[in-house]
Amino acid sequence: MCGIIGYTGTKNSVPFLLQGLRALEYRGYDSAGVAVQINGGINTVKAKGRIDNLEEKINSSEIKTDGTCGIGHTRWATHGAPSDINSHPHRAPSLALIHNGIIENYAEIEEMLSAEGYTFVSETDTEAAAKLIDYYFVRLGDPVKAIFEATDVIRGSYAFGVIFDSYPDTIYSIRKDSPLIVASTEEGGFIASDIPAILSHTSSYYQLEEGIVAIIGKNNVSFVDRKGNESSQTRLTIDWNVEQAQKGGFPHFMIKEIHEEPEAIRKTVSTRIGEDGLPDFGIRELDIVRLSKFKNIHIVACGTAMHAGLIGKNIIEKIARVPVNVDIASEFRYRDPILSKDDLVILLSQSGETADTLAALRHAKSKGVYTLSIVNVIGSSVAREADSVLYTWAGPEISVASTKAYSVQCALLYLFAVQLARACGKLSDAFAKELCRKLTEEVPEAISKTLELSKEIKNASRHYLASEHLFFIGRGIDSALCSEASLKLKEISYIHCEAYAAGELKHGTISLITDGIPVVALMTEEFLAEKVISGIREVKSRGANVLAITTKEIAEKYAIPADKIISVPEVDEFFAPFLLATVVQLFAYHIAAGRGCDVDKPRNLAKSVTVE
Ligand code: M6R
């Protein structure tokens, strides 16, 4: 969701900006632009659509070969349609500005500035911020003071990159509720919304703290607080390389990332198992004595991460018998959830920058509840602000459709459930050890074998290329899996999907089942197999075409009345959802690729949703 890049150095800034913007494409955007300081002024080029359109325009402009300091932006439209004019950077008389986030009081600011003689050309909220900083700059004559004055007025979320006509070779930046990183390298200084934009230039960066202005020069960066004091920021190291952020021979990031699941799970889980073979999170509150004090657990997240939470609920309640409430983060803070000091709130997020998840975290903290985040991006806001954090070691996830991040979130929740079950006296150490071993060794191996089904899944997917609707059905934990299967397929293939608990169909939805409607039934739990099979019979007798995805054991033992059955390799039934997750991800991938969709960058979607 919107991408920021800025470069100041001794070289032409345009290649740095374009390369950074391309590296941020995965975040989702519908227009792009750059602004470069040239001959004591600032030149701006903006274009609706892909970065190629912008590059074409740049090539016929005067900024092509000049200008060693510039800022660039990919915009994901919120206020005003995608258009050249609404694209960033936005100009004010003294400056150009790029922005990620939403200015909530932009209308008020525009009204105030209109009275001062300012005019507005775009429909965006961002232009108000650009002109407000200009307004203070004209009065105070100092970029840092102007930025602080303006951000005192602005309500909402922002990461700003600003260059001034009269301050050459310098980029100014500040953020609130939107991520922004800063780097100083031998090639020059950078700002970016995300690591991929700077990964080929450096392996270390600063995650800019809120309320601090970063001043990025050619050779150095400095940070200043509201009082004008120098602020020290923590330098972080990027623990993945350019190769990991490339497709590595796969046609799309999504399929590459699905293939990384075994290793991601192994890495995430094995680092949390102690020498005694039992879970060890290295967090005081998660040790066996303290963990039992939590009476209720709330898992809060968005999208796929929330679906991982549903899997977590099933497993935690099954083996630890502690009640778990799963909340959509965007609803959590507004429904005034009942929270007590004995509760634990777990925030799940791949990016750690999802605005709703961050707001939910802050809400929980404001109620004095202990918060634990499970996050993939080191140093991200959700990771930093929670009372404690467990990182998932999935490595960079570039595809908008989340796959390996989901699997590792589920894996950590399984491990957490084992620890909680021990703490609650529901699981012997011997059994817990056995589950930990299976999770670290057998699950990754079985997923690797499941990946070998890719060709069979691709063949099966041909049947669905022209489908307009599809239903996923399952019971128990599989109904949670259905939600994720359905989200995966609809976000990348644009096929309308519904996820239903199989027993719920006859309470209304079955009226949608007609001749040839595809239904995919997921079955991992043997004690529910016959129930799902009767659901299959119900839809079959109304003409549905049924694909069953199940375990080897169930496929061998039951006569499943489906048109096609895909069975996953042998694994303990308790862990079978991991294998089915891989199958439904491959299923969605092959259908979307077969339909010619832009698999890694589905329309209208952003990788990291940093606005409410
Ligand atoms: O970065 P997060 O895990 O917080 O993101 C949450 C959702 O936006 C994300 O999972 C989204 O649903 C994905 N596009 C799903 O594939």
PDB file of all heavy atoms in Angstrom, residues 301-307 348-355 357 374 377 382 397 399-403 405 409 484 487-488 491-492 602 605-609, ligand 1:
ATOM      1  N   ALA A 301      -6.225  -9.968  14.389  1.00  0.00           N
ATOM      2  CA  ALA A 301      -5.438  -9.849  13.155  1.00  0.00           C
ATOM      3  C   ALA A 301      -6.370  -9.532  11.995  1.00  0.00           C
ATOM      4  O   ALA A 301      -7.592  -9.415  12.179  1.00  0.00           O
ATOM      5  CB  ALA A 301      -4.697 -11.154  12.888  1.00  0.00           C
ATOM      6  N   CYS A 302      -5.797  -9.420  10.815  1.00  0.00           N
ATOM      7  CA  CYS A 302      -6.588  -9.148   9.608  1.00  0.00           C
ATOM      8  C   CYS A 302      -6.320 -10.229   8.559  1.00  0.00           C
ATOM      9  O   CYS A 302      -5.206 -10.763   8.492  1.00  0.00           O
ATOM     10  CB  CYS A 302      -6.190  -7.823   8.977  1.00  0.00           C
ATOM     11  SG  CYS A 302      -6.440  -6.423  10.033  1.00  0.00           S
ATOM     12  N   GLY A 303      -7.296 -10.452   7.701  1.00  0.00           N
ATOM     13  CA  GLY A 303      -7.123 -11.290   6.513  1.00  0.00           C
ATOM     14  C   GLY A 303      -6.565 -12.663   6.837  1.00  0.00           C
ATOM     15  O   GLY A 303      -7.041 -13.376   7.736  1.00  0.00           O
ATOM     16  N   THR A 304      -5.537 -13.005   6.089  1.00  0.00           N
ATOM     17  CA  THR A 304      -4.936 -14.325   6.246  1.00  0.00           C
ATOM     18  C   THR A 304      -4.415 -14.549   7.659  1.00  0.00           C
ATOM     19  O   THR A 304      -4.528 -15.644   8.212  1.00  0.00           O
ATOM     20  CB  THR A 304      -3.799 -14.475   5.207  1.00  0.00           C
ATOM     21  OG1 THR A 304      -4.424 -14.614   3.945  1.00  0.00           O
ATOM     22  CG2 THR A 304      -2.930 -15.669   5.466  1.00  0.00           C
ATOM     23  N   ALA A 305      -3.834 -13.523   8.249  1.00  0.00           N
ATOM     24  CA  ALA A 305      -3.311 -13.666   9.608  1.00  0.00           C
ATOM     25  C   ALA A 305      -4.458 -14.001  10.569  1.00  0.00           C
ATOM     26  O   ALA A 305      -4.305 -14.820  11.488  1.00  0.00           O
ATOM     27  CB  ALA A 305      -2.601 -12.385  10.025  1.00  0.00           C
ATOM     28  N   MET A 306      -5.616 -13.390  10.331  1.00  0.00           N
ATOM     29  CA  MET A 306      -6.776 -13.685  11.182  1.00  0.00           C
ATOM     30  C   MET A 306      -7.194 -15.155  10.987  1.00  0.00           C
ATOM     31  O   MET A 306      -7.579 -15.834  11.937  1.00  0.00           O
ATOM     32  CB  MET A 306      -7.904 -12.718  10.830  1.00  0.00           C
ATOM     33  CG  MET A 306      -9.063 -12.707  11.784  1.00  0.00           C
ATOM     34  SD  MET A 306     -10.303 -13.933  11.354  1.00  0.00           S
ATOM     35  CE  MET A 306     -10.968 -13.246   9.856  1.00  0.00           C
ATOM     36  N   HIS A 307      -7.072 -15.635   9.756  1.00  0.00           N
ATOM     37  CA  HIS A 307      -7.410 -17.040   9.507  1.00  0.00           C
ATOM     38  C   HIS A 307      -6.433 -17.984  10.208  1.00  0.00           C
ATOM     39  O   HIS A 307      -6.818 -19.069  10.650  1.00  0.00           O
ATOM     40  CB  HIS A 307      -7.441 -17.323   7.998  1.00  0.00           C
ATOM     41  CG  HIS A 307      -8.564 -16.607   7.310  1.00  0.00           C
ATOM     42  ND1 HIS A 307      -8.531 -16.259   5.985  1.00  0.00           N
ATOM     43  CD2 HIS A 307      -9.749 -16.145   7.797  1.00  0.00           C
ATOM     44  CE1 HIS A 307      -9.656 -15.627   5.674  1.00  0.00           C
ATOM     45  NE2 HIS A 307     -10.399 -15.541   6.761  1.00  0.00           N
ATOM     46  N   LEU A 348      -1.421 -11.019  15.385  1.00  0.00           N
ATOM     47  CA  LEU A 348      -0.700 -11.729  14.320  1.00  0.00           C
ATOM     48  C   LEU A 348      -0.554 -10.805  13.131  1.00  0.00           C
ATOM     49  O   LEU A 348      -1.532 -10.193  12.699  1.00  0.00           O
ATOM     50  CB  LEU A 348      -1.492 -12.946  13.851  1.00  0.00           C
ATOM     51  CG  LEU A 348      -1.738 -14.097  14.810  1.00  0.00           C
ATOM     52  CD1 LEU A 348      -2.563 -15.170  14.104  1.00  0.00           C
ATOM     53  CD2 LEU A 348      -0.429 -14.690  15.280  1.00  0.00           C
ATOM     54  N   SER A 349       0.644 -10.708  12.594  1.00  0.00           N
ATOM     55  CA  SER A 349       0.814  -9.867  11.408  1.00  0.00           C
ATOM     56  C   SER A 349       2.106 -10.239  10.678  1.00  0.00           C
ATOM     57  O   SER A 349       3.157 -10.349  11.304  1.00  0.00           O
ATOM     58  CB  SER A 349       0.870  -8.389  11.817  1.00  0.00           C
ATOM     59  OG  SER A 349       1.100  -7.585  10.689  1.00  0.00           O
ATOM     60  N   GLN A 350       2.000 -10.455   9.393  1.00  0.00           N
ATOM     61  CA  GLN A 350       3.201 -10.691   8.603  1.00  0.00           C
ATOM     62  C   GLN A 350       4.043  -9.426   8.604  1.00  0.00           C
ATOM     63  O   GLN A 350       5.205  -9.434   8.987  1.00  0.00           O
ATOM     64  CB  GLN A 350       2.794 -11.087   7.171  1.00  0.00           C
ATOM     65  CG  GLN A 350       3.927 -11.532   6.260  1.00  0.00           C
ATOM     66  CD  GLN A 350       4.823 -10.416   5.759  1.00  0.00           C
ATOM     67  OE1 GLN A 350       6.044 -10.481   5.925  1.00  0.00           O
ATOM     68  NE2 GLN A 350       4.261  -9.375   5.196  1.00  0.00           N
ATOM     69  N   SER A 351       3.439  -8.329   8.180  1.00  0.00           N
ATOM     70  CA  SER A 351       4.190  -7.084   7.987  1.00  0.00           C
ATOM     71  C   SER A 351       4.506  -6.368   9.295  1.00  0.00           C
ATOM     72  O   SER A 351       5.491  -5.642   9.385  1.00  0.00           O
ATOM     73  CB  SER A 351       3.368  -6.128   7.118  1.00  0.00           C
ATOM     74  OG  SER A 351       2.164  -5.801   7.785  1.00  0.00           O
ATOM     75  N   GLY A 352       3.631  -6.539  10.272  1.00  0.00           N
ATOM     76  CA  GLY A 352       3.791  -5.785  11.515  1.00  0.00           C
ATOM     77  C   GLY A 352       3.439  -4.314  11.344  1.00  0.00           C
ATOM     78  O   GLY A 352       3.682  -3.504  12.236  1.00  0.00           O
ATOM     79  N   GLU A 353       2.857  -3.966  10.204  1.00  0.00           N
ATOM     80  CA  GLU A 353       2.525  -2.558   9.961  1.00  0.00           C
ATOM     81  C   GLU A 353       1.050  -2.366   9.624  1.00  0.00           C
ATOM     82  O   GLU A 353       0.654  -1.270   9.248  1.00  0.00           O
ATOM     83  CB  GLU A 353       3.374  -1.991   8.804  1.00  0.00           C
ATOM     84  CG  GLU A 353       4.866  -1.991   9.056  1.00  0.00           C
ATOM     85  CD  GLU A 353       5.316  -1.069  10.206  1.00  0.00           C
ATOM     86  OE1 GLU A 353       4.491  -0.285  10.708  1.00  0.00           O
ATOM     87  OE2 GLU A 353       6.489  -1.167  10.607  1.00  0.00           O
ATOM     88  N   THR A 354       0.253  -3.408   9.717  1.00  0.00           N
ATOM     89  CA  THR A 354      -1.162  -3.288   9.374  1.00  0.00           C
ATOM     90  C   THR A 354      -1.828  -2.319  10.356  1.00  0.00           C
ATOM     91  O   THR A 354      -1.809  -2.538  11.577  1.00  0.00           O
ATOM     92  CB  THR A 354      -1.827  -4.676   9.409  1.00  0.00           C
ATOM     93  OG1 THR A 354      -1.128  -5.491   8.475  1.00  0.00           O
ATOM     94  CG2 THR A 354      -3.291  -4.622   9.055  1.00  0.00           C
ATOM     95  N   ALA A 355      -2.417  -1.261   9.798  1.00  0.00           N
ATOM     96  CA  ALA A 355      -2.919  -0.175  10.644  1.00  0.00           C
ATOM     97  C   ALA A 355      -3.951  -0.675  11.660  1.00  0.00           C
ATOM     98  O   ALA A 355      -3.912  -0.290  12.836  1.00  0.00           O
ATOM     99  CB  ALA A 355      -3.523   0.915   9.772  1.00  0.00           C
ATOM    100  N   THR A 357      -4.354  -3.669  12.903  1.00  0.00           N
ATOM    101  CA  THR A 357      -3.751  -4.550  13.915  1.00  0.00           C
ATOM    102  C   THR A 357      -2.982  -3.708  14.935  1.00  0.00           C
ATOM    103  O   THR A 357      -3.026  -3.965  16.138  1.00  0.00           O
ATOM    104  CB  THR A 357      -2.834  -5.587  13.228  1.00  0.00           C
ATOM    105  OG1 THR A 357      -3.587  -6.209  12.180  1.00  0.00           O
ATOM    106  CG2 THR A 357      -2.355  -6.642  14.194  1.00  0.00           C
ATOM    107  N   ILE A 374       3.003 -11.749  17.084  1.00  0.00           N
ATOM    108  CA  ILE A 374       3.667 -12.774  16.260  1.00  0.00           C
ATOM    109  C   ILE A 374       3.818 -12.133  14.889  1.00  0.00           C
ATOM    110  O   ILE A 374       2.834 -11.897  14.183  1.00  0.00           O
ATOM    111  CB  ILE A 374       2.838 -14.073  16.226  1.00  0.00           C
ATOM    112  CG1 ILE A 374       2.781 -14.670  17.638  1.00  0.00           C
ATOM    113  CG2 ILE A 374       3.426 -15.057  15.222  1.00  0.00           C
ATOM    114  CD1 ILE A 374       2.055 -15.997  17.755  1.00  0.00           C
ATOM    115  N   VAL A 377       8.189  -9.267  10.242  1.00  0.00           N
ATOM    116  CA  VAL A 377       9.164  -8.228   9.894  1.00  0.00           C
ATOM    117  C   VAL A 377       9.797  -7.647  11.160  1.00  0.00           C
ATOM    118  O   VAL A 377       9.119  -7.045  12.000  1.00  0.00           O
ATOM    119  CB  VAL A 377       8.513  -7.112   9.040  1.00  0.00           C
ATOM    120  CG1 VAL A 377       9.515  -6.005   8.754  1.00  0.00           C
ATOM    121  CG2 VAL A 377       7.997  -7.690   7.729  1.00  0.00           C
ATOM    122  N   VAL A 382       4.197  -3.267  15.053  1.00  0.00           N
ATOM    123  CA  VAL A 382       3.481  -4.200  15.934  1.00  0.00           C
ATOM    124  C   VAL A 382       4.495  -4.975  16.788  1.00  0.00           C
ATOM    125  O   VAL A 382       4.267  -5.238  17.969  1.00  0.00           O
ATOM    126  CB  VAL A 382       2.591  -5.166  15.106  1.00  0.00           C
ATOM    127  CG1 VAL A 382       1.968  -6.227  15.998  1.00  0.00           C
ATOM    128  CG2 VAL A 382       1.502  -4.382  14.370  1.00  0.00           C
ATOM    129  N   GLU A 397       8.283 -11.986   2.422  1.00  0.00           N
ATOM    130  CA  GLU A 397       7.131 -12.458   1.647  1.00  0.00           C
ATOM    131  C   GLU A 397       6.740 -11.313   0.724  1.00  0.00           C
ATOM    132  O   GLU A 397       6.289 -10.261   1.176  1.00  0.00           O
ATOM    133  CB  GLU A 397       5.978 -12.847   2.574  1.00  0.00           C
ATOM    134  CG  GLU A 397       4.883 -13.577   1.820  1.00  0.00           C
ATOM    135  CD  GLU A 397       3.721 -13.979   2.712  1.00  0.00           C
ATOM    136  OE1 GLU A 397       3.021 -13.066   3.207  1.00  0.00           O
ATOM    137  OE2 GLU A 397       3.501 -15.174   2.907  1.00  0.00           O
ATOM    138  N   SER A 399       4.918 -11.737  -2.463  1.00  0.00           N
ATOM    139  CA  SER A 399       3.600 -11.882  -3.096  1.00  0.00           C
ATOM    140  C   SER A 399       2.527 -11.285  -2.179  1.00  0.00           C
ATOM    141  O   SER A 399       2.561 -11.500  -0.963  1.00  0.00           O
ATOM    142  CB  SER A 399       3.323 -13.363  -3.321  1.00  0.00           C
ATOM    143  OG  SER A 399       1.987 -13.537  -3.694  1.00  0.00           O
ATOM    144  N   VAL A 400       1.605 -10.573  -2.779  1.00  0.00           N
ATOM    145  CA  VAL A 400       0.527  -9.980  -1.967  1.00  0.00           C
ATOM    146  C   VAL A 400      -0.252 -11.082  -1.240  1.00  0.00           C
ATOM    147  O   VAL A 400      -0.611 -10.941  -0.073  1.00  0.00           O
ATOM    148  CB  VAL A 400      -0.400  -9.123  -2.861  1.00  0.00           C
ATOM    149  CG1 VAL A 400      -1.706  -8.820  -2.150  1.00  0.00           C
ATOM    150  CG2 VAL A 400       0.298  -7.828  -3.243  1.00  0.00           C
ATOM    151  N   ALA A 401      -0.472 -12.176  -1.925  1.00  0.00           N
ATOM    152  CA  ALA A 401      -1.184 -13.291  -1.288  1.00  0.00           C
ATOM    153  C   ALA A 401      -0.240 -13.961  -0.292  1.00  0.00           C
ATOM    154  O   ALA A 401       0.819 -14.459  -0.650  1.00  0.00           O
ATOM    155  CB  ALA A 401      -1.640 -14.287  -2.337  1.00  0.00           C
ATOM    156  N   SER A 402      -0.657 -13.955   0.935  1.00  0.00           N
ATOM    157  CA  SER A 402       0.196 -14.487   1.991  1.00  0.00           C
ATOM    158  C   SER A 402       0.097 -16.017   2.024  1.00  0.00           C
ATOM    159  O   SER A 402      -0.993 -16.574   2.027  1.00  0.00           O
ATOM    160  CB  SER A 402      -0.287 -13.893   3.316  1.00  0.00           C
ATOM    161  OG  SER A 402       0.570 -14.261   4.343  1.00  0.00           O
ATOM    162  N   THR A 403       1.242 -16.691   2.029  1.00  0.00           N
ATOM    163  CA  THR A 403       1.223 -18.159   2.046  1.00  0.00           C
ATOM    164  C   THR A 403       2.140 -18.685   3.158  1.00  0.00           C
ATOM    165  O   THR A 403       1.685 -19.180   4.172  1.00  0.00           O
ATOM    166  CB  THR A 403       1.667 -18.738   0.685  1.00  0.00           C
ATOM    167  OG1 THR A 403       2.933 -18.163   0.324  1.00  0.00           O
ATOM    168  CG2 THR A 403       0.629 -18.463  -0.381  1.00  0.00           C
ATOM    169  N   ALA A 405       3.815 -17.052   5.272  1.00  0.00           N
ATOM    170  CA  ALA A 405       3.623 -16.332   6.540  1.00  0.00           C
ATOM    171  C   ALA A 405       2.475 -16.965   7.331  1.00  0.00           C
ATOM    172  O   ALA A 405       2.530 -17.074   8.560  1.00  0.00           O
ATOM    173  CB  ALA A 405       3.347 -14.861   6.284  1.00  0.00           C
ATOM    174  N   GLN A 409       2.768 -18.731  11.002  1.00  0.00           N
ATOM    175  CA  GLN A 409       1.913 -18.239  12.097  1.00  0.00           C
ATOM    176  C   GLN A 409       1.193 -19.426  12.739  1.00  0.00           C
ATOM    177  O   GLN A 409       1.104 -19.544  13.961  1.00  0.00           O
ATOM    178  CB  GLN A 409       0.893 -17.225  11.568  1.00  0.00           C
ATOM    179  CG  GLN A 409       1.501 -15.861  11.289  1.00  0.00           C
ATOM    180  CD  GLN A 409       0.633 -15.001  10.371  1.00  0.00           C
ATOM    181  OE1 GLN A 409      -0.361 -15.458   9.802  1.00  0.00           O
ATOM    182  NE2 GLN A 409       1.012 -13.746  10.209  1.00  0.00           N
ATOM    183  N   GLU A 484      -9.536 -19.553   4.760  1.00  0.00           N
ATOM    184  CA  GLU A 484      -8.288 -19.140   4.134  1.00  0.00           C
ATOM    185  C   GLU A 484      -8.238 -19.594   2.671  1.00  0.00           C
ATOM    186  O   GLU A 484      -7.811 -18.848   1.793  1.00  0.00           O
ATOM    187  CB  GLU A 484      -7.094 -19.690   4.930  1.00  0.00           C
ATOM    188  CG  GLU A 484      -5.731 -19.407   4.342  1.00  0.00           C
ATOM    189  CD  GLU A 484      -5.466 -17.928   4.055  1.00  0.00           C
ATOM    190  OE1 GLU A 484      -6.232 -17.060   4.501  1.00  0.00           O
ATOM    191  OE2 GLU A 484      -4.491 -17.650   3.330  1.00  0.00           O
ATOM    192  N   LEU A 487     -10.338 -17.162   0.728  1.00  0.00           N
ATOM    193  CA  LEU A 487      -9.693 -15.848   0.564  1.00  0.00           C
ATOM    194  C   LEU A 487      -8.575 -15.924  -0.479  1.00  0.00           C
ATOM    195  O   LEU A 487      -8.445 -15.070  -1.353  1.00  0.00           O
ATOM    196  CB  LEU A 487      -9.139 -15.361   1.911  1.00  0.00           C
ATOM    197  CG  LEU A 487      -8.296 -14.085   1.857  1.00  0.00           C
ATOM    198  CD1 LEU A 487      -9.122 -12.904   1.386  1.00  0.00           C
ATOM    199  CD2 LEU A 487      -7.696 -13.762   3.214  1.00  0.00           C
ATOM    200  N   LYS A 488      -7.772 -17.007  -0.361  1.00  0.00           N
ATOM    201  CA  LYS A 488      -6.633 -17.146  -1.285  1.00  0.00           C
ATOM    202  C   LYS A 488      -7.125 -17.166  -2.722  1.00  0.00           C
ATOM    203  O   LYS A 488      -6.611 -16.471  -3.581  1.00  0.00           O
ATOM    204  CB  LYS A 488      -5.896 -18.440  -0.943  1.00  0.00           C
ATOM    205  CG  LYS A 488      -4.449 -18.446  -1.184  1.00  0.00           C
ATOM    206  CD  LYS A 488      -3.601 -17.777  -0.134  1.00  0.00           C
ATOM    207  CE  LYS A 488      -4.032 -16.425   0.303  1.00  0.00           C
ATOM    208  NZ  LYS A 488      -3.460 -15.881   1.447  1.00  0.00           N
ATOM    209  N   GLU A 491      -8.806 -13.689  -3.860  1.00  0.00           N
ATOM    210  CA  GLU A 491      -7.949 -12.501  -4.006  1.00  0.00           C
ATOM    211  C   GLU A 491      -7.075 -12.556  -5.253  1.00  0.00           C
ATOM    212  O   GLU A 491      -6.785 -11.529  -5.846  1.00  0.00           O
ATOM    213  CB  GLU A 491      -7.125 -12.220  -2.749  1.00  0.00           C
ATOM    214  CG  GLU A 491      -5.981 -13.152  -2.482  1.00  0.00           C
ATOM    215  CD  GLU A 491      -5.180 -12.769  -1.232  1.00  0.00           C
ATOM    216  OE1 GLU A 491      -4.928 -11.579  -1.013  1.00  0.00           O
ATOM    217  OE2 GLU A 491      -4.803 -13.688  -0.480  1.00  0.00           O
ATOM    218  N   ILE A 492      -6.668 -13.770  -5.666  1.00  0.00           N
ATOM    219  CA  ILE A 492      -5.759 -13.793  -6.826  1.00  0.00           C
ATOM    220  C   ILE A 492      -6.414 -14.244  -8.130  1.00  0.00           C
ATOM    221  O   ILE A 492      -5.907 -13.948  -9.192  1.00  0.00           O
ATOM    222  CB  ILE A 492      -4.491 -14.642  -6.566  1.00  0.00           C
ATOM    223  CG1 ILE A 492      -4.833 -16.097  -6.250  1.00  0.00           C
ATOM    224  CG2 ILE A 492      -3.650 -14.033  -5.461  1.00  0.00           C
ATOM    225  CD1 ILE A 492      -3.599 -16.997  -6.253  1.00  0.00           C
ATOM    226  N   PRO A 602      -2.361  -8.831  -7.271  1.00  0.00           N
ATOM    227  CA  PRO A 602      -3.768  -8.802  -7.658  1.00  0.00           C
ATOM    228  C   PRO A 602      -4.341  -7.383  -7.624  1.00  0.00           C
ATOM    229  O   PRO A 602      -3.875  -6.541  -6.851  1.00  0.00           O
ATOM    230  CB  PRO A 602      -4.449  -9.687  -6.624  1.00  0.00           C
ATOM    231  CG  PRO A 602      -3.446 -10.035  -5.606  1.00  0.00           C
ATOM    232  CD  PRO A 602      -2.099  -9.611  -6.056  1.00  0.00           C
ATOM    233  N   LEU A 605      -5.328  -4.636  -4.533  1.00  0.00           N
ATOM    234  CA  LEU A 605      -4.799  -5.086  -3.242  1.00  0.00           C
ATOM    235  C   LEU A 605      -3.413  -4.534  -2.967  1.00  0.00           C
ATOM    236  O   LEU A 605      -2.653  -4.257  -3.881  1.00  0.00           O
ATOM    237  CB  LEU A 605      -4.736  -6.611  -3.195  1.00  0.00           C
ATOM    238  CG  LEU A 605      -6.083  -7.317  -3.129  1.00  0.00           C
ATOM    239  CD1 LEU A 605      -5.883  -8.819  -3.082  1.00  0.00           C
ATOM    240  CD2 LEU A 605      -6.872  -6.869  -1.909  1.00  0.00           C
ATOM    241  N   ALA A 606      -3.115  -4.416  -1.698  1.00  0.00           N
ATOM    242  CA  ALA A 606      -1.797  -3.963  -1.272  1.00  0.00           C
ATOM    243  C   ALA A 606      -1.225  -5.009  -0.323  1.00  0.00           C
ATOM    244  O   ALA A 606      -1.964  -5.674   0.399  1.00  0.00           O
ATOM    245  CB  ALA A 606      -1.921  -2.640  -0.541  1.00  0.00           C
ATOM    246  N   LYS A 607       0.079  -5.160  -0.339  1.00  0.00           N
ATOM    247  CA  LYS A 607       0.707  -6.159   0.523  1.00  0.00           C
ATOM    248  C   LYS A 607       0.546  -5.790   1.989  1.00  0.00           C
ATOM    249  O   LYS A 607       0.285  -6.625   2.825  1.00  0.00           O
ATOM    250  CB  LYS A 607       2.203  -6.279   0.167  1.00  0.00           C
ATOM    251  CG  LYS A 607       2.966  -7.278   1.018  1.00  0.00           C
ATOM    252  CD  LYS A 607       2.466  -8.691   0.796  1.00  0.00           C
ATOM    253  CE  LYS A 607       3.141  -9.717   1.685  1.00  0.00           C
ATOM    254  NZ  LYS A 607       2.364 -10.966   1.737  1.00  0.00           N
ATOM    255  N   SER A 608       0.737  -4.527   2.266  1.00  0.00           N
ATOM    256  CA  SER A 608       0.703  -4.126   3.652  1.00  0.00           C
ATOM    257  C   SER A 608      -0.310  -2.990   3.766  1.00  0.00           C
ATOM    258  O   SER A 608      -0.141  -1.941   3.143  1.00  0.00           O
ATOM    259  CB  SER A 608       2.119  -3.683   4.019  1.00  0.00           C
ATOM    260  OG  SER A 608       2.145  -3.178   5.290  1.00  0.00           O
ATOM    261  N   VAL A 609      -1.369  -3.223   4.542  1.00  0.00           N
ATOM    262  CA  VAL A 609      -2.473  -2.255   4.566  1.00  0.00           C
ATOM    263  C   VAL A 609      -2.232  -1.286   5.727  1.00  0.00           C
ATOM    264  O   VAL A 609      -2.633  -1.537   6.863  1.00  0.00           O
ATOM    265  CB  VAL A 609      -3.834  -2.967   4.668  1.00  0.00           C
ATOM    266  CG1 VAL A 609      -4.979  -1.964   4.613  1.00  0.00           C
ATOM    267  CG2 VAL A 609      -3.979  -3.963   3.534  1.00  0.00           C
TER     268      VAL A 609
HETATM  269  O1  M6R B   1       0.768  -7.982   7.228  1.00  0.00           O
HETATM  270  P1  M6R B   1      -0.448  -8.581   7.857  1.00  0.00           P
HETATM  271  O2  M6R B   1      -0.271 -10.043   8.131  1.00  0.00           O
HETATM  272  O3  M6R B   1      -0.914  -7.849   9.065  1.00  0.00           O
HETATM  273  O4  M6R B   1      -1.577  -8.456   6.753  1.00  0.00           O
HETATM  274  C1  M6R B   1      -2.895  -8.839   7.029  1.00  0.00           C
HETATM  275  C2  M6R B   1      -3.696  -8.948   5.768  1.00  0.00           C
HETATM  276  O5  M6R B   1      -3.747  -7.731   5.101  1.00  0.00           O
HETATM  277  C3  M6R B   1      -3.109 -10.001   4.812  1.00  0.00           C
HETATM  278  O6  M6R B   1      -3.007 -11.244   5.423  1.00  0.00           O
HETATM  279  C4  M6R B   1      -4.001 -10.124   3.553  1.00  0.00           C
HETATM  280  O7  M6R B   1      -5.234 -10.666   3.903  1.00  0.00           O
HETATM  281  C5  M6R B   1      -3.306 -10.956   2.483  1.00  0.00           C
HETATM  282  N1  M6R B   1      -3.440 -10.326   1.209  1.00  0.00           N
HETATM  283  C6  M6R B   1      -3.888 -12.281   2.295  1.00  0.00           C
HETATM  284  O8  M6R B   1      -3.237 -13.050   1.344  1.00  0.00           O
END
